[in-house]
Amino acid sequence: MSLHDDLTSVQRRLDDLMRCVGRLDEHAGQTLDMRRVRSAADHLRDSLTLLRESVPEATGRRVPEIVSIPDAPYDRGLWADAEDEGLGSPHRHAP
């Protein structure tokens, strides 16, 4: 089985689990243990969603966006009124 097939299979089983938890919730009521089971199932569903989003697509790997950083020095005007962390203003002495 491919990774995509495995994820689809897990998603189907998780959907079944969510339906069963819903039916169980009708019988068990609003107990602390039932809230824990519902919370755990919701957490599992969220985790699987995150996993599916992070896995490469079936057609190929997702290419991250490349951000180019220029080699030219920054404009010194950007730092005109900035203070050095821990040293204070350049017009005063460090403590």
Side-chain angles (χ1 to χ4, degrees):
M1 268 185 139
S2 71
L3 179 61
H4 179 69
D5 293 340
D6 287 340
L7 286 171
T8 302
S9 176
V10 170
Q11 183 65 52
R12 276 193 224 114
R13 285 173 175 76
L14 184 58
D15 291 342
D16 290 341
L17 174 68
M18 296 305 288
R19 280 190 292 277
C20 291
V21 167
R23 286 192 301 261
L24 184 61
D25 194 23
E26 293 173 6
H27 297 291
Q30 297 294 324
T31 64
L32 177 62
D33 293 331
M34 192 61 227
R35 284 188 297 193
R36 284 187 186 132
V37 168
R38 196 176 330 109
S39 175
D42 289 338
H43 182 75
L44 184 58
R45 183 183 57 206
D46 294 341
S47 296
L48 182 61
T49 300
L50 290 172
L51 178 62
R52 289 181 74 110
E53 290 172 358
S54 69
V55 169
E57 297 295 324
T59 58
R61 293 179 86 48
R62 290 189 298 181
V63 178
E65 181 181 346
I66 296 175
V67 177
S68 63
I69 301 173
D71 290 331
Y74 287 108
D75 178 15
R76 288 182 121 351
L78 292 173
W79 313 107
D81 292 327
E83 294 182 2
D84 290 329
E85 184 176 334
L87 297 178
S89 173
H91 306 295
R92 295 181 292 197
H93 295 293

